[in-house]
Amino acid sequence: MAAVFSARTSFQISSELDKARAYDNSIGYSGRYRLEAPDRFVTQVDVSSWPHWFGTTQGRTYSINGNHLEIISDPVRGPNGENVIVKVSLVREVA
């Protein structure tokens, strides 16, 4: 699996400080995943924009309600050492 997340707000990158701010507000990672009953998946990270995630496992809980998918991360260490819990809500487009 692969995932890329960034902050909702956008800004023009016109300086090195802007580049650092964009990095601090985004992450990309990928790896093999396994499902754990009844509502978890765990990714073995093999590539990440956050170097301290290489080789780690990242657990997520998910729920599906109709066309809505919600994913909640286990607490993770962010790039500045802070603990973070991320919640992602997705809605499937119906044609």
Side-chain angles (χ1 to χ4, degrees):
M1 69 76 75
V4 177
F5 299 97
S6 63
R8 227 179 235 193
T9 57
S10 62
F11 50 88
Q12 295 289 355
I13 295 178
S14 57
S15 69
E16 292 300 314
L17 181 60
D18 291 340
K19 287 181 190 178
R21 192 170 75 187
Y23 172 82
D24 284 346
N25 288 289
S26 65
I27 181 173
Y29 69 98
S30 70
R32 291 180 169 263
Y33 71 92
R34 68 179 182 276
L35 296 176
E36 295 182 349
D39 60 355
R40 279 181 60 77
F41 66 94
V42 178
T43 304
Q44 179 67 40
V45 178
D46 59 11
V47 174
S48 176
S49 60
W50 291 354
H52 64 281
W53 272 27
F54 284 103
T56 66
T57 55
Q58 299 296 320
R60 309 288 184 258
T61 303
Y62 67 90
S63 63
I64 300 172
N65 185 6
N67 290 324
H68 297 265
L69 169 63
E70 184 173 271
I71 301 171
I72 301 173
S73 72
D74 291 349
V76 297
R77 185 168 60 95
N80 298 317
E82 75 282 17
N83 282 327
V84 177
I85 295 176
V86 177
K87 179 179 176 180
V88 177
S89 298
L90 304 165
V91 178
R92 178 175 44 191
E93 242 182 68
V94 179

